[in-house]
Amino acid sequence: MLLFMAIVLPILLAIFIPLAYRSMKSIHTGWFVLLAPVLLFLFYLRFLSPVQQGEAQLARASWVPSLDFYFDIYIDGLSLLFSLLITGIGSLVVLYSIFYLDKTKENLGNFYVYLLMFMSAMLGVVQFDHTLALYFFWELTSISSFLLIAYWYKRDASRFGALKSMMITVSGGLMMLVGFLTLYVLTGTYSIRETIAQVDTIVDQPLFTVAVVLVLLGAFTKSAQFPFYIWLPDAMEAPTPVSAYLHSATMVKAGLYLVARFTPVFAYSEVWVWLVTGIGLLTLFWGSLFAVKQTDLKGILAFSTVSQLGLIMSLLGLGGFAYLVTGDAVETFTFATFAAIFHLFNHATFKGSLFMVAGIVDHETGTRDIRKLGGLMSLMPVTFTIAMIGSLSMAGLPPFNGFLSKEMFLDAVLGLLHADISTMTVAYLVPIVAWVASVFTFIYSIYFLWYTFMGSRKEEQLPKVPHEAPIGMLISPAILGSLVILVFFIPNVVGDWLVKPATAAIQSSSFASAADIEFYIKAWHGWTSPALWMTVGVVVVGFLLYKMLPKWQSIYSKWPERFTLNRGYDTLMDGSLNWNRALSDRFMTGSIRDYLVYMFAGMAILGITTLFTQGGFAISTEGLAPIRLFEIVLTIILVGSVMAILITWSRLTAVIALGGVGYTVALFYVIFKAPDLALTQLVIETISVALFLTAFYHLPKLDKHYKGKEDTSFRLGNFLISIAVGLTVTLIGISAYAQRQMTSISEYYKETVYTEAGGGNIVNVILVDYRGFDTLFEIGVLMIASIGIISMITLRLQKKKKGVTVDEIE
Amino acid sequence: MEIMMAILAGFLFSAATYLILSKSLLRIIIGTGLLSHGTHLLLLTMGGLGGKSAPVVADGVTVADYVDPLPQALILTAIVISFGVTAFALVLAYRTYQEIGTDNMDYMKGRGEID
């Protein structure tokens, strides 16, 4: 229960934040907020030791037990690593935001409520073992991210970015939900651990691949993989603490978490491992390529995040191969997972600090445009130091932690060549792509650092006079920066306590617990290590290319704007909007005639096609009553009256002809031996005609809109539809009559009418005795109709307001 | 006989549909009236038209000779209900004319102009 309380603690705290914000204006609200992540961080630290020894933490809170819906908490190495990142970086980000956001100018209540909501959501994503609970919190991260991106909701760009990220991540989330439900169909359980336990039985099912692809779509959209990364650069409109927290260290890693978590289930599928590896490498390459093009500090960092997420994703994909191979190759591929988790940790440290640096630069100079910045090194020495640590680590240079994980990445990629899975020639491409991407990573890291802090100062272009940031704002990035260096010198502390338990959780088929893993992170591999020479190559080529950057940067503008992914997204959104509008404009004309045409035509087409395709049509002359002269005469009169209604241009004639039709129908009732019907029909027809004539008297003069006559001109379309409707009715009537299968229930009425009900008129007895309820509500209908008529005539609310009565109109 | 009545009902349905698709409100209401007649006749026809005696108990008539009384009861209910609805629709048309001055469906949509 304590574990569950830990997840909801931030959200519970969020309830009191607006109160604290309003009642204690003098204290920055962030100080209250800081309590939650720090407490939680210390709380989760307690589990380090038991989890490292392989004791997972469990808790359950039931929600809808009858539907198998529980909030099952399961904390193993992977969940713990993420929980510590979320709370640890969360604490630093809250601390940073206290100095970044002004307590008088900003609406801090909103900001911290959203942020705490996000924190809870994210903890839920990484700790729940139940797929639906995972999905629930997954969408909560999307929603809170949406709210945070649009924090400055008066800016157009913020709202656009928020909507875009919402659209992409939520559509991916829905795909993922369908994937989870597919898994449920296959296994009968929502629990991820139980799914892993019965993975053998589901691997061969055709639905398995469907689940693979759908869950991957969720992971790829959330983790900004190609081609869904386009929301991430637009999400940079959020306040910088948000970018640092959500869009570099935590939320975008939810997709990585998902891939890692489901590796023991899905890695048996080749589709999964190749898709994860392939898309990861493509994203790595693409993101690093386009990061160099950016001129906005946060834009560079956004693309670099995309690229690094691709790197981790591809490593997770390579790790998945461990499930497909045997022998020595297993070790090579499990090492890839180890590298992925290590880089995931490293990326959170250096990217968090870099975003904070970008925020400081923005805060102190008033711009993030790299073309206006430069020469800030001497003005902001501390910020520069942190930025240097971060960027060089990102570039993969010693003595920073990025170097270690980059080396491990190159090792893992090269490992693909030695494994027996690499019979495919495409495998040789992988190290080359990885190397080229590393070169570009080096270039944009240096580009970021150099253009901001080196070169000549352009103070006249800056909105503010630049100076060093306040100490409070520097604490968080400084802590992260120290971590970057610290991890380089003592990598195996992180490796043993965090990375190995997480690796054991992902590679559960190879390792029972963290103690079985024998990987050792070392900075020096010896002169013979190919990864070392690849790094040397990266530095040399990267440095040369960076020096020539002004010469070749213009190639980016050669790419036609029409074929960018952003343009594609815009076209898709606008296109679907326009298409839908055109569609509804086309069919929803507002004219009742058009709608009636749809309905009648639909009825006729459906009726006739069903009748003939299903073999329903039949005609039978058996048992028919004979045709007598009376009936022929009455039919002729009826048809004549109806034709008169159709062709007359005078309303009076039409009304009288309608009366004729009604009286003829009454005569039909007479000859078909229905005396009660005949009586009722006669009376009602008389009243109806009287009513029609009353209405006729009040109807508008015919020449007002009909040029002196009722509009009776012939319309072919209407005629054809009418014929079709009549034909449908006739055919169905004839067929139904020919295929009557049972005798009437009326035998009972006929036999018992006198003995049971004590009446002689069978129709009347049915109406008031056998089926009296019909009559009751038919009386109700008449009553409602008369009340309606009275109220329509007497209530004149609108006219009274205007002070005009109906008499005056007339 | 039943086949002929089915065709007659179909004819009434056709005429009703044609009228309902026209522009004038009065013709639409007349169309619904014809539609009711067609429906009632169809109901009666489907019950069978071969009975020898009206459904009123009389001496010397065997049970098999009575016309089926159930469709007649259904029709009686339907006649009253359609009368109620028609009356309501007529008053609605009358009030519509009073308020907006036309009974042309095209003008009610605001497509044309009311002069």
Side-chain angles (χ1 to χ4, degrees), chain A residues 262-282:
Chain A
F262 277 93
T263 294
V265 182
F266 289 140
Y268 292 100
S269 155
E270 291 220 5
V271 177
W272 169 273
V273 283
W274 281 109
L275 260 183
V276 174
T277 315
I279 295 287
L281 279 170
L282 180 58

Side-chain angles (χ1 to χ4, degrees), chain A residues 320-361:
Chain A
F321 280 107
Y323 283 84
L324 294 172
V325 298
T326 49
D328 289 344
V330 172
E331 198 196 320
T332 314
F333 289 126
T334 45
F335 180 72
T337 303
F338 185 73
I341 299 297
F342 188 50
H343 192 68
L344 191 148
F345 176 83
N346 292 342
H347 177 250
T349 54
F350 68 71
K351 192 53 64 69
S353 73
L354 282 179
F355 266 108
M356 291 175 186
V357 164
I360 290 170
V361 171

Side-chain angles (χ1 to χ4, degrees), chain A residues 502-700:
Chain A
T503 310
I506 301 170
Q507 297 291 353
S508 57
S509 76
S510 305
F511 307 113
S513 77
D516 299 344
I517 303 175
E518 288 167 356
F519 298 130
Y520 186 77
I521 308 167
K522 49 186 188 291
W524 180 246
H525 297 267
W527 292 111
T528 52
S529 156
L532 178 73
W533 293 107
M534 280 173 91
T535 306
V536 171
V538 165
V539 174
V540 171
V541 177
F543 188 73
L544 287 176
L545 277 175
Y546 172 73
K547 277 289 166 200
M548 295 184 284
L549 187 62
K551 292 200 182 87
W552 57 270
Q553 208 172 16
S554 59
I555 61 156
Y556 285 113
S557 52
K558 300 276 193 293
W559 183 270
E561 184 70 18
R562 273 181 12 175
F563 294 113
T564 57
L565 287 166
N566 278 320
R567 180 59 70 92
Y569 170 83
D570 292 343
T571 314
L572 186 72
M573 299 305 282
D574 294 347
S576 61
L577 200 66
N578 291 337
W579 193 78
N580 277 308
R581 191 175 290 141
L583 190 74
S584 58
D585 282 354
R586 175 75 187 76
F587 289 103
M588 301 288 121
T589 55
S591 159
I592 192 165
R593 189 194 161 265
D594 292 341
Y595 303 147
L596 286 170
V597 166
Y598 305 150
M599 284 190 256
F600 283 133
M603 189 194 94
I605 291 167
L606 280 179
I608 292 182
T609 49
T610 312
L611 195 65
F612 285 101
T613 55
Q614 304 296 318
F617 181 71
I619 187 159
S620 152
T621 49
E622 202 178 319
L624 296 181
I627 300 176
R628 290 166 297 176
L629 186 62
F630 290 138
E631 287 135 8
I632 294 172
V633 173
L634 284 181
T635 306
I636 290 168
I637 297 174
L638 191 67
V639 171
S641 313
V642 172
M643 291 311 291
I645 296 174
L646 289 176
I647 59 173
T648 182
W649 50 265
S650 148
R651 285 173 180 166
L652 195 57
T653 316
V655 171
I656 290 169
L658 180 67
V661 172
Y663 291 130
T664 319
V665 170
L667 287 177
F668 265 115
Y669 292 148
V670 171
I671 61 169
F672 290 137
K673 304 189 176 63
D676 300 291
L677 289 187
L679 282 174
T680 317
Q681 180 66 35
L682 279 175
V683 173
I684 283 198
E685 198 56 39
T686 311
I687 301 173
S688 295
V689 170
L691 262 175
F692 268 102
L693 290 174
T694 316
F696 168 78
Y697 178 76
H698 289 284
L699 279 175

Side-chain angles (χ1 to χ4, degrees), chain A residues 589 698 705 746 760 792 810, chain B residues 57 68 95 97-98 102 109:
Chain A
T589 55
H698 289 284
H705 291 133
S746 303
M792 260 197 302
E810 286 165 353
Chain B
V57 176
D68 195 340
R95 289 284 296 129
Y97 165 60
Q98 276 191 334
T102 182
K109 184 184 163 261

Side-chain angles (χ1 to χ4, degrees), chain A residues 761-775:
Chain A
N761 185 334
I762 310 179
V763 174
N764 286 6
V765 171
I766 289 177
L767 282 174
V768 298
D769 193 326
Y770 292 115
R771 300 173 57 90
F773 272 120
D774 284 359
T775 314

